[in-house]
């Protein structure tokens, strides 16, 4: 939730109101405790406020010697002690104040050649608390000023390393570095006055408008292309671009993101809701891309926690971004993730605002809605109870006025080219009826019952029936444009006020004038009527006129400037509210008295004010594009409704003796939790919208069914996978548990061994400690004895010293007494001499007084003589005046005689007037008869006016056509001449073309016949397609079930391969898991033979393959049994031969030992014989092993062949299922 708090700059009273009030600069201190607000004027001033209580702590005015009328920029020091002002033209003075004391410390000129200064800013934190560094962004250069208490010196910046023709626009401090941007799109860094590097350069050279430091390693840069660039420091001189945020795309394509507002100050601006309105690029008008509607950043600020960045733009919008990820270090930052987070977090915390001034506003009776129209060609509907934007619609033409039907279902809007009646749908505003006669209607309204429409067309008023759109009447009488329309409470009369100073009351039954009053000297802006049929109107003078029975009864001087709008509260009508041209809202007690209160409403003219039906809220809008909501309370703080009295608890200052205006209370339950049963909940919905919703619901239901089936299948697969993983995890866990138990036992044994070792060590340490303690005790006892001896010796010395000090003090006291007596005698002698001197001065003073008195008496005598002379002079003048008065008395007598004669003439004229009255009565009778004739003529005129209007339109259109024809006539004449020259060769071509056309006609006829035949074929094919689609749908269902079977078969096959070596286990697994119908997990349990019509060829092939595999298995078993018997026999023979060979080898070894001394020839022969025998035995064994290996290889090849056949069957099944899916 976001809240708003308001700061009123200047005094809200009309006497102190500035002619051009505007807050020109604001600044928040680095500690966020103080807020400085600068206002322009004849004497610009700066107000410093406490941010918690918003109370004024200090108000500083610019010295009179400075001629500037505004303040460009403000900046606080890091410790909040000093505040610097940058004054505007023509002086461009930089003033530094110690603001708590109101003392100006320094005043220097920053722009000698009167070039614009954009910004000033202190360095955030410095090592020296008494010295501060201030940077000034001059249009031609960047200045640095070192500030101390005594002086302010300018530091030089080395700009030779970076040269640019572009002007500087903005800068910011990042620690001790200065980041500066210019109008060419470059951003450079200076450190200690020296150029470091260029960190950004815009390719389109658009100007940099704002730079904001996020922390010591991140900075945000805004430019004129509506893009905010976020840079992050990687090293001391390198910067990495994190992301670029385009505010124009966010404003055009994203929803208006904002939350409900909780406001606790004097006003509340309505915000938008992200749930309802979406401003898409197609919904925006064409000229929203102009500069005035661009989202160019003009200011940025970071909160104290460095989590959010607030951006203000030129088109009066406020954006918020989440920058929490930028506070991390470079190693922790993921650029893609951070960019996505920032892009998604772009929102408008206070909602969407009108881009231009608001021109019209109205309120609904049956719904808590207000409607506004603006110069940005948009109509917005706001909910003033929830503070949310319900609907927003952009149009292509300008809108001057708007009115909301009491039911809230229709809107009347005055466009530039026509008057439109619009329907308010659930999520859109659509035109319902157009009134082309009324153009550029600046005043339109529904009656309180909603059955009539009143719209201004220049100096005429058109009355329409709301539901039929029929023109009921046209009210004529005004000579200039009509500025105000107002229906009475019972809808029996309509009040209109015009620019010529006329106010009329029209009867809504016969559409004649009931009352009228004309004052040509006062053009009127607004007029209202009360329950007792009294009209109150006002114009460009501060006089509020009260009119009853066409007579001016009273003029009340409001004491303010020009009033733009008046509104009176509902029954019993105790208050009147007035809006002024300078943004004030004035409340006045009714009946009118001199009591009133003024409240600050807007910056500039207030266009409209309306009031809720229960007199609780007052709404105002103006040229500043804001909508303000005020709450009305009586003097004691009570609300007029019992419901509001229960829900609203807070009270704010009184507005008048009876009621007061204030913003919505701090109670959140009132703002967001309040519900009223009497609000209407009806809405308009089109049939196409309902049909689309129904189609969407059916599509979503089908998707839900498909997702359910898919999820069920996925769940089954996951269950199977999880069961396998569970078994694996259990086995691993059991193994680890056994290992851990073994480790635990080993560690327990080690622990017991360590405990025994440490117990022995502790015993040794205790013995050592006891011996050390005994040694220390003996050592410290000897030291204590020596210290006691020293203490006794020192005590004796102290006593001797004290005796000596007492003797010295007695001697010094006696000498001091003697010196005091000597000084006393000396000063008594000097005092007597001073007394003698004063007596002499008193005698001299008496002499001077006597001389003064004598001179005073002489001067008085001189003055008396002068007074007597003047008295004689003025007495003579008095005689002359008396003579002139006597002469005037005579003339007065003559005038009295003339007056008496004139009185007689007046009496004669009175008699003549009586005669004229008689004639007047006769004339009135004639007038009555003539009025009836006029009424009949008016009816005829209405019909003829309509005919004339249509004729004039036709004439205007014909004139336009005539003008266009005359323009083309000359061109056509010239073309005719040139074409005549070209006609003859082209006529031959035309004849040839005609022949070609005839042949083409024949071909066309044949093609038409073929086309008809093809249409018949297409219809037949469509029917066949529908039939094929049904078959495909059935096959898809079958393939889904086959997929389940194949997945189960694949799973079982993957498990059965484990038992491929063991035939018995293979058979047992196949029968128990795959072929058994009784078990749940068996393959046959998933197969329903009645449901699948499998091809007979496929079944025969499957049966043939199975029989072949069975025969292969049986033959392999036979061969295996035969081979095993042969192997046993061969193994037995090999064993016997090995035993025989072993015995022979032992005998030969014995013979070798005996025949060691035999000759080498005999030993060689014996060795040869042994070797031949060994090779013969080894060769026999090798032949047997090779035959066994060959048999094993054949068996392995057969197993591989069987595996390949199984894999082929699996691939065939998968291809079959995939083909079915594709069909």
């Amino acid at each position: 939730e976001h809240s708003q708090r308001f700061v009123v700059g200047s005094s809200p009273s009309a006497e102190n109101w500035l002619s051009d009030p505007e807050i020109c600069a604001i600044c928040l201190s680095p500690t966020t405790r103080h807020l400085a607000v600068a206002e322009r004027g004849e004497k610009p001033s700066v107000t410093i406020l406490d941010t918690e209580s918003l109370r004024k702590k200090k108000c500083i005015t610019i010295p009179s010697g400075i001629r500037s009328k505004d303040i460009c920029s403000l900046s606080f020091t890091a410790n909040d002690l000093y505040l610097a002002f940058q004054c505007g033209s023509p002086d461009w003075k930089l003033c530094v104040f110690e603001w708590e004391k109101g003392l100006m410390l320094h005043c220097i000129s920053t722009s000698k050649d009167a070039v614009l200064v954009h910004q000033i800013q202190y360095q955030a934190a410095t090592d020296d608390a008494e010295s501060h560094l201030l940077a000034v962004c001059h249009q031609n250069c960047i200045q640095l000023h070192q500030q101390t208490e005594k002086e302010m010196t300018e530091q030089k910046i080395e700009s030779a390393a970076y040269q640019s023709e572009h002007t500087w626009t903005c800068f910011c401090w990042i620690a001790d570095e200065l980041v500066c941007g210019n109008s060419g799109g470059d951003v450079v860094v200076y450190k200690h006055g020296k150029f470091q590097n260029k960190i950004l350069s815009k390719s389109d050279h658009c100007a940099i408008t704002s730079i904001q430091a996020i922390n010591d390693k991140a900075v945000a840069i805004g430019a004129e292309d509506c893009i905010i660039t976020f840079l992050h420091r990687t090293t001391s001189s390198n910067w990495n671009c994190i992301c670029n945020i385009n505010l124009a795309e966010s404003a055009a394509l994203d929803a208006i993101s904002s939350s409900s507002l909780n406001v606790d100050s004097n006003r509340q601006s309505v915000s938008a809701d992200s749930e309802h309105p979406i401003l898409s690029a197609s919904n925006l008008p064409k000229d929203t891309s102009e500069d005035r509607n661009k989202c160019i950043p003009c200011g940025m600020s970071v909160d104290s926690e460095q989590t959010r960045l607030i951006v203000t733009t030129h088109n009066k919008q406020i954006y918020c971004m989440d920058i929490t990820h930028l506070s991390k270090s470079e190693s922790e930052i993921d650029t893609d993730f951070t960019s996505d987070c920032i892009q998604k977090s772009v929102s408008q915390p206070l909602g969407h605002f009108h881009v231009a001034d608001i021109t019209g506003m109205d309120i609904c009776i049956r719904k808590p809605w207000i409607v506004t129209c603006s110069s940005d060609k948009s109509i917005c509907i706001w909910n003033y109870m929830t503070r949310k934007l319900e609907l927003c619609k952009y149009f292509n033409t300008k809108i001057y006025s708007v009115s909301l039907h009491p039911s809230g279902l229709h809107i009347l809007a005055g466009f530039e080219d026509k008057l439109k009646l619009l329907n308010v749908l659930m999520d859109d505003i659509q035109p319902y009826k157009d009134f082309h006669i009324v153009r550029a209607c600046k005043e339109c309204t529904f009656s309180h019952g909603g059955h009539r429409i009143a719209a201004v067309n220049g100096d005429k008023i058109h009355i329409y029936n709301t539901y039929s759109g029929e023109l009921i009447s046209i009210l004529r009488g005004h000579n200039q444009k009509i500025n105000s329309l107002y229906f009475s409470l019972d809808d029996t009369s309509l009040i209109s006020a015009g620019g010529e100073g006329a106010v009329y009351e029209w009867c809504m039954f016969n559409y004649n004038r009931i009352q009228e009053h004309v004052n040509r000297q006062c053009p009127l802006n607004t007029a209202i009527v009360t329950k007792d049929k009294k009209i109150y109107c006002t114009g460009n003078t501060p006089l509020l006129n009260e009119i009853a029975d066409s007579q001016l009864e009273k003029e009340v001087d409001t004491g303010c400037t020009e009033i733009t709008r008046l509104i009176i509260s509902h029954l019993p009508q105790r208050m009147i509210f007035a809006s002024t041209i300078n943004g004030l809202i004035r409340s006045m007690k009714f009946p009118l008295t001199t009591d009133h209160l003024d409240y600050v409403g807007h910056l500039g003219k207030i266009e409209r004010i309306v009031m809720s039906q229960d007199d609780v809220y007052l709404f105002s809008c103006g040229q500043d594009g804001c909508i303000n909501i005020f709450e009305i309370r009586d003097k004691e703080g009570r609300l007029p409704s019992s419901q509001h009295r229960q829900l609203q608890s807070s009270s704010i200052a009184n507005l008048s003796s009876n009621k007061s205006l204030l913003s919505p209370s701090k109670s959140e339950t009132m703002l967001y939790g309040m519900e009223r049963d009497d609000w209407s909940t009806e809405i308009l919905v089109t049939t196409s919208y309902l049909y689309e919703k129904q189609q969407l619901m059916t599509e979503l239901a089908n998707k839900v069914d498909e997702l359910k089936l898919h999820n069920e299948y996925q769940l089954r697969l996951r269950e199977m996978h999880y069961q396998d993983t569970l078994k694996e995890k259990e086995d691993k866990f059991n193994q680890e548990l056994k290992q851990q138990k073994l480790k635990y036992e080993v560690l327990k044994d080690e622990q017991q061994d360590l405990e025994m070792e440490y117990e022995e060590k502790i015993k040794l340490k205790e013995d050592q400690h006891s011996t050390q303690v005994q040694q220390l005790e003996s050592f410290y006892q000897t030291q204590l004895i020596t210290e006691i001896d020293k203490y006794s010796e020192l005590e004796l010395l102290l006593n001797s010293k004290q005796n000596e000090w007492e003797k010295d003090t007695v001697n010094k006291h006696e000498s001091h007494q003697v010196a005091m007596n000597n000084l006393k005698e000396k000063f008594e002698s000097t005092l007597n001499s001073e007394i003698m001197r004063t007596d002499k001065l008193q005698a001299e003073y008496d002499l001077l007084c006597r001389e003064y008195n004598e001179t005073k008496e002489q001067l008085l005598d001189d003055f008396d003589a002068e007074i007597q002379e003047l008295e004689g002079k003025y007495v003579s003048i008095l005689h002359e005046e008396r003579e002139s008065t006597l002469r005037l008395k005579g003339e007065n007598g003559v005038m009295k005689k003339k007056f008496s004669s004139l009185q007689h003439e007046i009496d004669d004229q009175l008699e003549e007037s009586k005669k004229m009255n008689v004639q007047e009565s006769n004339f009135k009778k004639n007038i009555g008869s003539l009025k009836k004739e006029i009424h009949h003529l008016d009816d005829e005129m209405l019909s003829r006016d309509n005919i004339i209007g249509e004729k004039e339109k036709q004439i205007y259109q014909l004139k336009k056509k005539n003008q266009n024809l005359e323009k083309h006539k000359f061109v056509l004449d010239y073309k005719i001449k040139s074409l005549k020259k070209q006609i003859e060769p082209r006529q031959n071509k035309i004849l040839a073309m005609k022949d070609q056309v005839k042949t083409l006609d024949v071909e066309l006829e044949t093609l038409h016949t073929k086309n008809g035949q093809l249409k018949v074929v297409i219809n037949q094919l469509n029917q066949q397609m529908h039939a094929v689609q049904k078959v495909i749908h059935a096959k898809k269902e079958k393939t889904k079930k086959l997929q389940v079977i194949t997945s189960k078969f694949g799973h079982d096959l993957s498990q059965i391969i484990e038992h491929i070596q063991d035939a018995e286990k293979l058979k047992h697994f196949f029968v128990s898991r795959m072929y058994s119908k009784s078990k749940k997990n068996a393959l046959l349990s998933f197969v329903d033979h009645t449901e699948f019509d499998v091809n007979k060829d496929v079944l025969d092939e499957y049966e043939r393959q199975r029989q072949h595999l069975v025969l292969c298995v049986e033959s392999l078993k036979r061969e295996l049994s035969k081979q095993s018997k042969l192997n046993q026999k061969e193994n037995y023979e090999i064993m016997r031969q090995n035993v025989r060979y072993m015995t022979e080898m032992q005998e030969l070894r014995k013979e070798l030992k005996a025949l060691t001394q035999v000759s080498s020839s005999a030993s060689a022969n014996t060795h040869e014989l042994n070797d031949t025998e060994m090779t013969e035995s080894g060769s026999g064994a090798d032949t047997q092993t090779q035959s066994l290996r060959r048999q094993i290889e054949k068996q392995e090849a057969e197993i591989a062949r069987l595996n390949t056949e199984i894999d082929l069957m699996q691939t065939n099944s998968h291809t079959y299922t995939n083909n079915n899916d594709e069909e």
Side-chain angles (χ1 to χ4, degrees), residues 1148-1164 1166-1167:
L1148 290 168
R1149 282 174 183 169
K1150 288 177 182 178
E1151 290 175 359
L1152 280 168
K1153 289 179 182 179
L1155 297 172
T1156 53
Q1157 296 177 357
V1158 183
S1159 63
S1160 59
S1161 61
S1163 63
T1166 56
H1167 281 296

Side-chain angles (χ1 to χ4, degrees), residues 915-955:
K915 293 177 182 178
M916 295 296 286
N917 286 328
V918 174
Q919 291 178 359
E920 186 180 0
S921 61
N922 295 326
F923 286 137
K924 281 182 179 179
K925 292 177 182 179
N926 294 328
I927 287 164
S929 60
L930 290 169
K931 278 184 178 179
K932 291 177 182 178
E933 293 177 0
I934 289 164
H935 183 68
H936 293 297
L937 292 169
D938 285 335
D939 295 334
E940 292 178 1
M941 288 285 286
L942 284 171
S943 60
R944 290 181 182 178
D945 281 339
N946 294 327
I947 295 164
I948 288 163
E950 293 174 357
K951 295 287 185 183
E952 284 177 350
K953 286 181 182 178
Q954 292 176 0
I955 289 162

Side-chain angles (χ1 to χ4, degrees), residues 986-1183:
R986 290 189 180 182
Q987 280 179 351
N988 298 324
K989 291 181 182 179
I990 287 164
L991 294 171
M993 294 294 285
K994 282 181 180 178
D995 296 330
Q996 291 179 3
V997 167
K998 287 178 182 179
T999 57
L1000 290 170
D1001 287 335
V1002 175
E1003 291 177 0
L1004 271 171
E1005 288 177 358
T1006 57
L1007 288 171
H1008 280 306
T1009 54
K1010 288 180 182 179
N1011 196 7
Q1013 294 172 0
L1014 288 170
K1015 284 181 180 178
V1016 174
V1017 173
I1018 287 162
N1019 291 325
Q1020 292 175 357
L1021 290 171
N1022 285 327
Q1023 291 175 359
Q1024 291 175 4
M1025 280 175 68
H1026 289 300
V1028 170
Q1029 283 178 355
K1030 290 180 181 178
V1031 173
I1032 288 165
H1033 184 68
K1035 286 186 177 181
K1036 280 184 179 179
E1037 291 180 353
K1038 289 180 182 178
T1039 52
K1040 287 179 183 177
K1041 293 181 180 179
L1042 284 170
Q1043 284 177 358
V1044 176
I1045 294 165
T1046 53
S1047 64
K1048 175 62 181 172
F1049 180 73
H1051 182 264
D1052 291 339
L1053 195 64
S1054 65
Q1055 289 184 348
I1056 204 170
I1057 286 167
E1058 295 176 358
H1059 307 291
I1060 198 73
Q1061 302 291 336
D1062 193 349
E1064 291 180 358
K1065 288 183 180 179
L1066 186 72
K1067 181 180 178 182
H1068 178 71
F1069 185 89
F1070 178 77
V1071 172
S1072 61
R1073 290 289 185 92
M1074 298 177 69
Y1075 191 73
S1076 177
K1077 292 184 179 180
S1078 61
K1079 291 193 177 181
K1080 293 182 181 179
N1081 294 326
L1083 181 63
L1084 291 176
S1085 64
F1086 289 91
V1087 181
D1088 189 1
H1089 296 288
T1090 61
E1091 194 170 334
F1092 300 103
D1093 295 326
V1094 184
N1095 194 355
K1096 290 181 180 180
D1097 297 331
V1098 175
L1099 291 171
D1100 295 334
E1101 181 67 19
Y1102 178 78
E1103 187 66 23
R1104 190 178 65 76
Q1105 291 287 339
R1106 191 175 69 80
Q1107 290 176 0
H1108 175 70
L1109 290 171
V1110 169
L1111 292 171
C1112 289
V1113 169
E1114 288 176 355
S1115 65
L1116 287 168
K1117 283 180 180 178
R1118 291 193 207 100
E1119 288 177 4
L1120 212 153
S1121 62
K1122 289 179 183 178
Q1123 193 68 35
S1124 63
K1125 289 177 182 178
L1126 291 170
N1127 288 333
Q1128 286 177 0
K1129 288 179 182 180
E1130 289 174 356
N1131 288 328
Y1132 181 72
E1133 290 176 357
I1134 290 164
M1135 289 291 290
R1136 287 175 65 190
Q1137 287 178 2
N1138 285 331
V1139 170
R1140 184 167 57 82
Y1141 290 143
M1142 289 294 289
T1143 54
E1144 288 177 358
M1145 285 172 71
Q1146 287 176 358
E1147 289 174 358
L1148 290 168
R1149 282 174 183 169
K1150 288 177 182 178
E1151 290 175 359
L1152 280 168
K1153 289 179 182 179
L1155 297 172
T1156 53
Q1157 296 177 357
V1158 183
S1159 63
S1160 59
S1161 61
S1163 63
N1165 291 324
T1166 56
H1167 281 296
E1168 288 175 359
L1169 289 168
N1170 288 326
D1171 290 331
T1172 54
E1173 288 176 357
M1174 289 294 289
T1175 53
E1176 287 175 358
S1177 65
S1179 63
D1182 290 332
T1183 54

